[in-house]
Amino acid sequence: MKSKKNIGGCLRYEDFLDIGYKPSDDELVVLFRVEPNKGMSMKEVAARVASESSCGTWSDLKWYPKRVEKLKGKVFEIKGNFVKISYPLDLFELESIPNLLSGIAGNIFGMKAVKNLRLIDATFPKRFLKFYKGAFYGHDAISKIFKRKEGPIIASVPKPKVGFSHKEHAKVGYLLWRGGLDVIKDDENLSSPRFNKFEERVKLLAKYRDKVEKEVGGPKDAFINVTAPTLKEMERRIKMIHDYGFKYFMLDVVVAGFTAVQTATEIARDLKMAIHGHRAMHAMFTRNEKHGMSMLFLAKLMRILGVDQIHIGTVVGKLEGRKRDVIATKECITENSVNEIEGVRLKQEWYHIKPILPVASGGLHPGILPELFDIYKTTNIVIQVGGGIFAHPMGIEAGARAVVQAVEAYKKGISLEEYAEKHKELKKALEVWGKSKPV
Ligand code: CAP
Ligand code: MG
């Protein structure tokens, strides 16, 4: 490629360093935590991260199109281990979250120059967000699907998490709905085993839903898992759930992948359905505070993509998630704009992208629900209680009632102990679990 007009200068790692540069509002700004490998300085490693995540490589390129100059990631701030890099939007296919992640969350994690690397957050400019519609319902699912002014939306998962036949699963679902719950949720690893085929489960759950709505009122719904081997099969499952009158479906968003999520959100919008996002596998890369990607950023991507609700942790339950991080994430997906929290979160204006619902699940039982709601400072969330219902000594329906009674007590400002005096199912739950925090 010899034509004069196309020749750049020389593209070296140091060309991706521009400390003190002030990014425009039209650039993507990403916050990383960077730990250099031995013998490497912060600046050397930060430049490599910016280069490898945008348009550079390890060798000093002498032949490249001039437009590359305008596609470079720029390290503009280094504070201890925290590095901010700005990226011109032209670097990306703006309609594609998979493409974004192949850049800012791709090769860089495997570079020998880094000992540890964590993608903490990114500020998305308005021009980027313009390509996304966000969730169809989001926070409004409480009023638009469950016809209530406030939450929580209460779900349960049949436990053991896999093992019920479709008949047993639907019957258990009927008991949970009759016990006062809003939703029967598939577990993350339930899809279509031979003994509980997806199609049979959908049909029977719909039958029991109609029966229980006649008996105790509704609306009742289900988070039925559409995670499938192919996008075509995922779409078929979503459409079947829709045809049987459910408003929601569930997707294991990390396992299925970002192309599947973007496909599912388009189908959901067309069918006016809500997506329950389960985050199974997230802890593989979110848990290590020094390496991987923050749950906050994963949750933010789900809000941009249009998932209506996403698990973000309980603090008090059986799964890890520090209070500071859960709150920062909750604010990120429920507020219209958030400020920066140094080392934890960047500022973000959400414009037209609707707030979505946090999901709290994992080791919950009636005794710790008040503490959970106090941490979230709202009951406008989705709670999921599995083992905390199925291990209730008085049975499944009583277990569901105990959860509903604990929510009622909290919303009335009455202590669980006092409320339990007149609610035997709650009283029994408190006898068994008290306010213990499972591990
Ligand atoms: C909870 C759960 C959920 C976890 C997911 C489970 O069941 O069904 O998948 O809450 O974790 O399989 O453990 P229990 P997270 O209510 O019986 O604990 O919400 O952190 O993504
Ligand atoms: Mg589960």
Side-chain angles (χ1 to χ4, degrees):
M1 178 178 50
K2 292 277 184 193
S3 68
K4 272 277 177 237
K5 70 174 180 345
N6 265 347
I7 298 167
C10 178
L11 202 58
R12 301 182 184 85
Y13 280 142
E14 49 268 34
D15 295 321
F16 293 85
L17 267 178
D18 193 347
I19 301 298
Y21 168 71
K22 293 269 177 275
S24 81
D25 289 344
D26 192 45
E27 291 181 87
L28 180 80
V29 171
V30 182
L31 173 65
F32 291 99
R33 183 190 179 282
V34 179
E35 207 173 316
N37 230 333
K38 56 187 177 308
M40 301 289 293
S41 73
M42 269 304 286
K43 277 189 175 178
E44 286 173 321
V45 178
R48 280 162 172 72
V49 171
S51 165
E52 190 61 46
S53 58
S54 59
C55 52
T57 188
W58 63 274
S59 57
D60 293 352
L61 297 180
K62 294 177 182 53
W63 303 94
Y64 59 90
K66 268 234 176 286
R67 78 171 68 79
V68 166
E69 291 293 337
K70 292 196 176 5
L71 296 176
K72 289 188 298 188
K74 286 193 186 85
V75 177
F76 66 90
E77 185 183 293
I78 299 177
K79 267 189 187 170
N81 285 96
F82 294 108
V83 173
K84 287 184 183 177
I85 299 176
S86 66
Y87 296 87
L89 292 189
D90 285 352
L91 180 68
F92 306 107
E93 178 188 358
L94 296 174
E95 301 86 335
S96 170
I97 292 296
N99 169 256
L100 169 82
L101 294 173
S102 297
I104 66 171
N107 292 353
I108 50 178
F109 290 95
M111 294 196 308
K112 287 181 179 170
V114 299
K115 185 169 176 228
N116 283 300
L117 178 66
R118 184 169 173 84
L119 196 175
I120 296 171
D121 196 7
T123 297
F124 291 87
K126 187 172 186 178
R127 186 159 66 93
F128 188 104
L129 295 178
K130 259 180 24 183
F131 288 90
Y132 299 87
K133 296 189 181 104
F136 185 74
Y137 291 96
H139 179 277
D140 296 341
I142 296 172
S143 59
K144 294 211 171 127
I145 295 179
F146 294 100
K147 314 296 179 202
R148 290 205 297 266
K149 284 200 181 61
E150 57 179 33
I153 297 171
I154 310 177
S156 181
V157 170
K159 301 284 180 177
K161 55 186 6 181
V162 174
F164 288 110
S165 69
H166 58 277
K167 285 187 182 135
E168 293 157 343
H169 183 107
K171 181 78 173 82
V172 155
Y174 168 72
L175 297 175
L176 291 165
W177 274 322
R178 208 172 60 182
L181 300 196
D182 301 307
V183 173
I184 314 309
K185 174 183 172 294
D186 279 0
D187 231 320
E188 68 281 355
N189 58 334
L190 177 64
S191 56
S192 193
R194 303 284 172 267
F195 49 82
N196 189 342
K197 294 305 282 177
F198 170 86
E199 294 77 7
E200 299 314 316
R201 185 160 77 249
V202 172
K203 286 179 202 162
L204 262 184
L205 276 173
K207 189 166 142 274
Y208 276 113
R209 176 204 60 211
D210 296 346
K211 174 177 163 51
V212 80
E213 284 185 343
K214 283 196 187 81
E215 291 169 354
V216 301
K220 302 292 187 184
D221 217 287
F223 301 155
I224 302 172
N225 193 358
V226 299
T227 308
T230 65
L231 293 181
K232 191 158 161 262
E233 176 58 15
M234 177 188 78
E235 180 162 11
R236 186 189 71 82
R237 294 183 185 188
I238 295 170
K239 287 181 173 167
M240 181 175 178
I241 290 170
H242 172 264
D243 294 349
Y244 275 83
F246 292 104
K247 287 292 210 192
Y248 272 93
F249 61 87
M250 164 176 149
L251 181 65
D252 293 342
V253 293
V254 177
V255 167
F258 292 89
T259 294
V261 176
Q262 269 192 260
T263 306
T265 54
E266 287 188 3
I267 300 166
R269 182 168 284 276
D270 292 344
L271 299 176
K272 294 186 173 42
M273 294 182 82
I275 305 178
H276 177 89
H278 196 293
R279 62 175 180 170
M281 197 164 94
H282 79 93
M284 184 187 279
F285 53 81
T286 59
R287 182 170 191 173
N288 179 340
E289 307 249 322
K290 290 185 175 176
H291 190 80
M293 176 200 284
S294 73
M295 180 61 221
L296 180 139
F297 184 66
L298 177 64
K300 199 163 168 174
L301 290 174
M302 293 301 128
R303 177 172 180 177
I304 293 171
L305 285 167
V307 171
D308 296 86
Q309 50 202 51
I310 181 78
H311 290 237
I312 63 165
T314 64
V315 182
V316 294
K318 70 186 184 188
L319 296 150
E320 69 80 36
R322 287 192 314 180
K323 183 173 177 181
R324 176 201 72 170
D325 298 333
V326 170
I327 296 302
T329 304
K330 174 237 169 187
E331 291 167 351
C332 224
I333 63 172
T334 59
E335 307 287 337
N336 291 323
S337 66
V338 288
N339 59 356
E340 179 169 357
I341 301 174
E342 191 157 287
V344 177
R345 182 180 78 192
L346 290 178
K347 66 178 180 180
Q348 183 65 57
E349 180 63 51
W350 284 103
Y351 307 108
H352 66 289
I353 304 284
K354 200 177 273 189
I356 64 174
L357 282 170
V359 178
S361 168
L364 295 180
H365 60 79
I368 50 176
L369 290 180
E371 195 176 344
L372 174 79
F373 294 135
D374 285 345
I375 289 168
Y376 270 84
K377 295 193 180 68
T378 179
T379 54
N380 290 334
I381 62 174
V382 180
I383 59 172
Q384 190 291 121
V385 184
I389 286 177
F390 281 77
H392 193 290
M394 293 163 68
I396 296 169
E397 189 171 340
R401 290 191 195 289
V403 168
V404 171
Q405 289 159 7
V407 171
E408 285 168 354
Y410 182 82
K411 292 170 85 167
K412 289 173 179 169
I414 301 169
S415 76
L416 296 185
E417 294 73 9
E418 187 185 338
Y419 209 69
E421 286 318 306
K422 296 196 177 110
H423 297 86
K424 62 183 183 306
E425 297 87 351
L426 177 58
K427 188 176 178 67
K428 182 55 77 178
L430 294 177
E431 282 168 15
V432 174
W433 295 300
K435 301 200 174 163
S436 62
K437 296 186 175 64
V439 284

